[in-house]
């Protein structure tokens, strides 16, 4: 790692510490930018990565996408080019050196705008690629990210400069080793972009039943071609993708609302409570009632012993 990258990483470490202060996820005055801080390793955390750039400045993390594991730390960055249900585990953190990271979200339109202005070579007819990757960080990218985070020190500059620096960051990512993966999402008509449209449809209607033929029609693909491209981008089938969304939402309902497993199952689209319980146990390691009890006890312990 170059001296310049070390310097920028040190700046980011201080800035993130200043704008977090305590463990957890933290939004910032830049709506697309958020920070994470953890002073201990964590168990599996389930969620959906929106299209985003993720950078760790201290610590290490594993991200699981279906059966694949992506490991990254301060020397790397992770990009999600589409919405993807994932499992995250902080594997390196301590009270002396807490895990510190940032996430910058962006949209396909922002990617398309950069592609149009820069004329970077992206072939819309190229086959879709996996919607997540880890790449080695470069000082030009880290420099732009550092300048974006510095804007939090001068909030009046954010409305004008944040969009410009975000555009530069996307440009740097597109120039990277795997940048074509991100570029494909911004190109209308590319197979990756069409799969992204279907993913949006599934996310908005995850509690509804659907036929693969209908999803293939949305993507303007044959069933076999759609299934192949979808699995290439997400590492899972459409049914598996929907199942992860349903189970994550059911867990959120059970944890945040006074509802039981049967009600949560019906609300996320399951017709059989027993099937829901089996699939929930398979994903989270315990039946719904026991899992939520464990989560609440863990939360209460964290409140008592911060």
């Amino acid at each position: 790692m170059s001296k310049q990258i070390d310097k920028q990483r040190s700046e980011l470490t201080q800035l993130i510490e200043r704008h977090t202060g305590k463990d957890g996820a933290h939004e910032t005055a830049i709506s697309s930018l958020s920070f994470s801080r953890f002073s201990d390793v964590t168990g599996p955390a389930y969620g959906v990565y929106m299209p985003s750039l993720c950078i760790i400045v201290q610590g290490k993390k594993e991200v699981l996408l279906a059966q694949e594991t992506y490991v990254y730390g301060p020397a790397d960055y992770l990009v999600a080019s589409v919405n993807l249900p994932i499992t995250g585990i902080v594997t390196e953190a301590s009270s002396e050196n807490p895990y510190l990271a940032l996430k910058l979200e962006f949209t396909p339109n922002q990617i398309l705008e950069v592609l149009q202005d820069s004329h970077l070579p992206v072939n819309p007819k190229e086959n879709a690629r996996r919607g997540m990757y880890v790449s080695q960080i470069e000082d030009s990218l880290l420099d732009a990210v550092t300048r974006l985070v510095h804007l939090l020190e001068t909030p009046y500059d954010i409305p004008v400069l944040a969009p410009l620096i975000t555009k530069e960051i996307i440009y740097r990512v597109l120039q990277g080793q795997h940048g074509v993966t991100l570029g494909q999402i911004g190109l209308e008509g590319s197979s990756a972009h069409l799969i992204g449209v279907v993913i949006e449809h599934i996310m908005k209607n995850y509690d509804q039943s659907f036929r693969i033929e209908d999803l293939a029609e949305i993507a303007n693909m044959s069933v076999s071609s759609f299934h192949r491209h979808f699995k290439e981008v997400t590492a899972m089938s459409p049914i598996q993708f929907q199942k992860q969304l349903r189970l994550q939402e059911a867990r959120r309902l059970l944890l945040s609302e006074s509802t039981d497993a049967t009600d949560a199952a019906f609300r996320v689209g399951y017709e059989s409570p027993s099937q829901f319980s089996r699939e929930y146990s398979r994903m989270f390691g315990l039946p719904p009632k026991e899992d939520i009890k464990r989560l609440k006890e863990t939360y209460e312990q964290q409140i008592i012993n911060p």
Side-chain angles (χ1 to χ4, degrees), residues 48 85 202-203 205-210 238-254 264-272 275-276 279-280 283-284:
V48 176
I202 295 174
M203 291 195 65
N205 302 280
Y206 68 89
D207 58 340
Q208 304 296 314
S209 298
F210 57 71
I239 298 299
Q240 291 169 329
F241 188 97
Q242 181 192 39
K243 184 186 298 184
Q244 288 212 23
L245 294 178
R246 284 181 167 183
L247 292 173
Q248 286 189 18
E249 176 61 12
R251 197 187 203 207
R252 187 195 68 78
L253 291 171
L254 288 166
F266 288 139
R267 287 173 65 179
V268 300
Y270 278 88
E271 296 180 358
S272 166
Q275 181 188 2
F276 166 74
E279 294 184 352
Y280 187 104
M283 182 166 175
F284 298 119

Side-chain angles (χ1 to χ4, degrees), residues 183-199:
Q184 287 179 332
I185 296 300
L187 290 179
E188 291 189 14
S190 71
S191 54
H193 178 84
L194 293 170
I195 294 301
V197 171
V198 175
I199 287 173

Side-chain angles (χ1 to χ4, degrees), residues 9-270:
R9 185 160 59 87
S10 178
E11 281 186 55
L12 280 173
T13 299
Q14 294 174 23
L15 286 165
I16 294 174
E17 280 274 37
R18 191 180 308 156
H19 289 279
T20 55
K22 61 180 181 179
D23 285 359
H26 302 265
E27 296 181 353
T28 74
I30 301 172
S31 60
S32 57
L33 178 69
S34 60
F35 298 143
S36 293
R37 182 191 192 280
F38 293 101
S39 53
D40 200 355
V41 297
T42 67
Y46 301 86
V48 176
Y49 269 5
M50 313 297 276
S52 54
L53 164 70
C54 304
I55 293 177
I56 295 171
V57 297
Q58 196 165 265
K60 189 172 288 187
K61 187 175 187 178
E62 291 182 0
V63 175
L64 282 61
L65 175 66
Q67 302 303 311
E68 299 176 353
T69 301
Y70 297 79
V71 180
Y72 71 116
D76 320 295
Y77 63 91
L78 179 142
V79 169
S81 62
V82 293
N83 299 323
L84 293 170
I86 59 91
T87 306
I89 305 170
V90 173
T91 58
E92 188 176 297
S94 67
S95 55
E96 297 80 14
N97 295 292
Y99 168 89
L100 298 170
L102 64 86
K103 180 167 67 173
L104 178 66
E105 296 182 351
F106 36 72
T107 67
N109 284 339
Q110 287 176 296
I111 299 167
L112 178 59
E113 182 182 355
V114 175
L115 289 173
Q116 290 172 336
D117 290 349
S118 64
H119 304 292
L120 288 169
V122 178
N123 183 1
K125 295 184 179 180
E126 189 172 338
N127 286 336
R129 304 186 184 191
R130 183 73 82 245
M132 179 174 287
Y133 65 85
V134 171
S135 195
Q136 186 174 354
I137 201 151
E138 298 172 351
D139 57 3
S140 58
L141 172 60
L142 202 55
D143 173 65
V145 170
T146 303
R147 283 186 279 111
L148 180 70
V149 176
H150 263 298
L151 291 180
L152 298 174
E153 307 292 287
T154 55
Y156 49 83
D157 289 333
I158 289 174
V160 174
L161 296 182
L164 298 176
I165 301 175
T166 297
K167 189 173 182 179
E168 179 185 351
I169 290 169
I170 295 171
Y171 175 67
R172 296 300 180 191
V173 174
L174 288 168
Q175 285 182 312
Q177 180 183 2
H178 305 289
V180 66
T181 300
L182 183 63
Q184 287 179 332
I185 296 300
L187 290 179
E188 291 189 14
S190 71
S191 54
H193 178 84
L194 293 170
I195 294 301
V197 171
V198 175
I199 287 173
E200 288 285 349
H201 175 80
I202 295 174
M203 291 195 65
K204 291 177 181 176
N205 302 280
Y206 68 89
D207 58 340
Q208 304 296 314
S209 298
F210 57 71
R211 300 185 314 134
I212 298 298
E213 291 82 359
D214 295 333
L215 298 182
E217 186 176 347
I218 292 172
N220 196 28
M221 296 178 183
S222 68
V223 171
S224 59
S225 179
F226 165 72
H227 198 276
R228 175 169 53 84
H229 284 302
F230 191 96
K231 193 159 189 178
E232 182 57 43
V233 172
T234 67
M236 61 192 89
S237 71
I239 298 299
Q240 291 169 329
F241 188 97
Q242 181 192 39
K243 184 186 298 184
Q244 288 212 23
L245 294 178
R246 284 181 167 183
L247 292 173
Q248 286 189 18
E249 176 61 12
R251 197 187 203 207
R252 187 195 68 78
L253 291 171
L254 288 166
L255 190 59
S256 63
E257 301 183 15
S258 56
T259 186
D260 59 21
T262 299
D263 181 55
F266 288 139
R267 287 173 65 179
V268 300
Y270 278 88

